[in-house]
Amino acid sequence: GRQLTINILSTWGDAHYVGLNGLEIFDAEGVCISDPKTNPHLTIRGDPDSINILPEYHNDPRTVDKIIDGVYATCDDLHMWLPPLL
């Protein structure tokens, strides 16, 4: 297996949160390998994985799995990842 690590160091203005709609990764032939429907071995994790680590949030749907759900051009919170910037 292979591992890709992305470190997010800043935001576009919010001092407390990072928002991300999607992540696509392609192999040398141009095939998308970041789609869990076509790549059953794909796993993704975030640290932190969502704002649910904060005491004032519970069951917020904006978790890390949303960045590979295939819906990228959206303003719908149900397809976004929102972790706190630590």
Side-chain angles (χ1 to χ4, degrees):
R2 296 183 188 233
Q3 178 176 325
L4 173 65
T5 301
I6 299 173
N7 293 314
I8 300 173
L9 304 175
S10 64
T11 70
W12 281 14
D14 194 303
H16 305 287
Y17 302 98
V18 174
L20 190 61
N21 286 22
L23 177 68
E24 291 181 290
I25 303 167
F26 297 87
D27 67 11
E29 286 78 39
V31 176
C32 182
I33 59 173
S34 57
D35 184 348
K37 296 176 199 97
T38 58
N39 185 351
H41 304 291
L42 177 68
T43 60
I44 189 164
R45 66 181 184 92
D47 185 19
D49 70 337
S50 71
I51 60 174
N52 290 318
I53 66 159
L54 301 174
E56 61 270 24
Y57 288 95
H58 306 285
N59 300 317
D60 190 279
R62 297 169 290 183
T63 53
V64 71
D65 59 303
K66 302 310 185 296
I67 63 173
I68 58 168
D69 71 357
V71 181
Y72 304 123
T74 184
C75 294
D76 184 348
D77 288 355
L78 297 178
H79 297 285
M80 297 180 185
W81 178 38
L82 185 69
L85 183 62
L86 301 177

